[in-house]
Amino acid sequence: MATLSRFVVKNHDFHKHGAVYRGGPSSLISSRTLRAPHLDVRAGVSLPENGKGLAIQSKQSSPLALSAPSRILCNAAANVPGDIPTPSGMNQYERIIETLTTLFPVWVILGTIIGIYKPAAVTWLETDLFTVGLGFLMLSMGLTLTFEDFKRCLRNPWTVGVGFLAQYLIKPMLGFAIAMTLKLSAPLATGLILVSCCPGGQASNVATYISKGNVALSVLMTTCSTIGAIVMTPLLTKLLAGQLVPVDAVGLAISTFQVVLVPTVVGVLANEFFPKFTSKIISVTPLIGVILTTLLCASPIGQVSEVLKAQGGQLIFPVALLHAAAFALGYWVSKLSFGESTSRTISIECGMQSSALGFLLAQKHFTNPLVAVPSAVSVVCMALGGSGLAVFWRNRPIPVDDKDDFME
């Protein structure tokens, strides 16, 4: 879902020097949009010293980013709604992508309905094609990253590290505890543990922006957890679920390496050494990404539709509880050390993961088809829960004196 890590958002609010600014649609957000002087990383906007205007900066010009710098005049206010000027830099294609991306939860709901009632429309995307689709999304994410992004991880070891631990400590332990407490059958317990051990999903970047979180940090945490999945996902699944069913940790590691790391590294290298070529590719990847993301959400539902119809409530509750607890714990644990914006970011990153990867691994490495069911249900719970939480936080302002935990 890499298109969801480079998205357009409307009517964003952000804080600087004790004032609240309101801006119109920004450029597509990626980690490289967020490197400019006087930058508020929660909004991806550069503020001039005199405070009279703002400039949206983009390191790489492409059809999916505003030409830099585009200037929007705005007034400071104290959380008071005002007229929102609209930049003229966005073309029709960008507006379409913006709309499609920000309506991600709607596509998930539609995909779920189609998957349950018309499964044949989406079940053609089976294991091999599913692998290709997921690999393409990982490649798309890599195309938005550079070597500098990984250096920024080293400049923020504590902040990124806490997010990593939340993803691979809090979430897996929650999955294990819920499976044991509710006494789920071995296949369903294994599936719940497997999806809880998966890395962060790119959809978290969208939810982070909507929630007024730290987008740059979200992109970095998603990247780090994705790369870490090669070791952490098979290791934790083996440790926590190995007592329930046989777990092929080596097979899980190899599949994760092939589907996640290889496409991501190829994308990063292409972006670093062939920027002109990648700038042309990324003009079409968002549209393809929106379509693929919807299919990758709908296909798992379609493939387990009969099970969902028969045992829907029983299957939805443990998965929904997993996500709700992860959002809550991720937030409150982060609040012990970090400010509001960073805590929201870590909460969303902890509660939203790559359920599609969990579904693929379950299909390829477990013989019982029920192992894949929690991942299929997680696709819906993750998207709707994360989006709902983001909208809730959207209407709760960040304190003007919020602690800055991120170093550019």
Side-chain angles (χ1 to χ4, degrees):
M1 294 184 287
T3 183
L4 302 180
S5 67
R6 294 176 54 81
F7 64 101
V8 185
V9 288
K10 289 185 177 179
N11 308 341
H12 52 264
D13 305 342
F14 59 95
H15 300 257
K16 186 75 174 176
H17 304 309
V20 177
Y21 293 82
R22 289 188 174 274
S26 78
S27 61
L28 286 167
I29 300 299
S30 74
S31 53
R32 46 182 169 194
T33 331
L34 307 169
R35 302 188 194 107
H38 315 296
L39 192 66
D40 186 319
V41 295
R42 286 167 296 198
V45 179
S46 174
L47 297 175
E49 294 286 0
N50 58 19
K52 293 181 180 178
L54 59 90
I56 299 173
Q57 300 288 341
S58 175
K59 179 180 176 183
Q60 176 177 334
S61 61
S62 77
L64 299 182
L66 296 179
S67 54
S70 300
R71 291 198 170 272
I72 310 168
L73 295 179
C74 64
N75 297 319
N79 287 320
V80 179
D83 294 332
I84 301 170
T86 303
S88 59
M90 289 179 63
N91 59 36
Q92 187 63 30
Y93 176 74
E94 290 165 349
R95 290 191 177 96
I96 293 173
I97 295 300
E98 171 191 10
T99 302
L100 291 174
T101 303
T102 53
L103 289 176
F104 171 64
V106 176
W107 309 137
V108 172
I109 294 173
L110 291 176
T112 301
I113 295 173
I114 293 172
I116 292 176
Y117 296 103
K118 295 289 183 180
V122 291
T123 51
W124 54 269
L125 193 69
E126 294 184 339
T127 306
D128 291 339
L129 288 176
F130 198 94
T131 302
V132 172
L134 189 56
F136 178 84
L137 294 181
M138 293 298 106
L139 173 67
S140 300
M141 184 181 77
L143 291 173
T144 70
L145 300 171
T146 67
F147 293 159
E148 176 62 23
D149 294 314
F150 298 98
K151 294 179 182 177
R152 292 161 73 217
C153 290
L154 298 178
R155 292 197 291 269
N156 296 272
W158 173 239
T159 313
V160 176
V162 168
F164 189 89
L165 290 175
Q167 189 73 50
Y168 288 121
L169 181 61
I170 294 177
K171 193 74 173 283
M173 293 307 297
L174 280 173
F176 179 79
I178 292 172
M180 296 299 102
T181 301
L182 298 180
K183 297 181 180 180
L184 299 179
S185 64
L188 293 179
T190 301
L192 188 68
I193 292 170
L194 173 61
V195 75
S196 71
C197 296
C198 285
Q202 286 77 31
S204 64
N205 307 146
V206 177
T208 296
Y209 200 101
I210 295 172
S211 71
K212 303 179 185 178
N214 188 322
V215 179
L217 178 60
S218 176
V219 172
L220 289 181
M221 287 196 300
T222 300
T223 304
C224 290
S225 68
T226 298
I227 295 174
I230 301 162
V231 174
M232 301 303 292
T233 297
L235 175 63
L236 291 171
T237 304
K238 177 70 173 179
L239 290 175
L240 298 176
Q243 58 182 309
L244 302 174
V245 296
V247 176
D248 181 11
V250 175
L252 288 174
I254 293 173
S255 293
T256 307
F257 176 83
Q258 293 172 337
V259 176
V260 174
L261 185 63
V262 173
T264 302
V265 170
V266 169
V268 173
L269 293 177
N271 188 32
E272 192 71 34
F273 296 109
F274 307 101
K276 292 183 179 179
F277 174 70
T278 56
S279 67
K280 296 177 181 178
I281 294 178
I282 62 174
S283 67
V284 296
T285 52
L287 182 57
I288 297 174
V290 169
I291 297 171
L292 268 179
T293 299
T294 304
L295 288 173
L296 292 177
C297 290
S299 180
I301 294 294
Q303 293 180 52
V304 300
S305 60
E306 294 303 318
V307 179
L308 290 177
K309 289 177 183 178
Q311 309 177 48
Q314 180 184 352
L315 298 173
I316 292 172
F317 177 71
V319 178
L321 180 60
L322 170 67
H323 287 286
F327 284 128
L329 279 178
Y331 178 77
W332 290 112
V333 169
S334 302
K335 286 291 284 185
L336 297 175
S337 300
F338 302 122
E340 177 68 17
S341 176
T342 298
S343 297
R344 293 182 184 185
T345 303
I346 293 176
S347 169
I348 289 173
E349 197 69 23
C350 183
M352 301 181 74
Q353 75 290 312
S354 181
S355 306
L357 175 62
F359 185 81
L360 177 63
L361 295 177
Q363 281 195 317
K364 294 185 69 173
H365 298 286
F366 295 91
T367 55
N368 194 318
L370 288 179
V371 176
V373 173
S375 291
V377 176
S378 175
V379 169
V380 182
C381 293
M382 175 266 298
L384 299 185
S387 301
L389 183 61
V391 171
F392 170 77
W393 273 330
R394 179 74 177 168
N395 297 312
R396 298 176 68 88
I398 299 285
V400 293
D401 58 347
D402 189 36
K403 184 179 178 183
D404 186 5
D405 305 298
F406 188 79
M407 182 184 299
E408 276 290 327

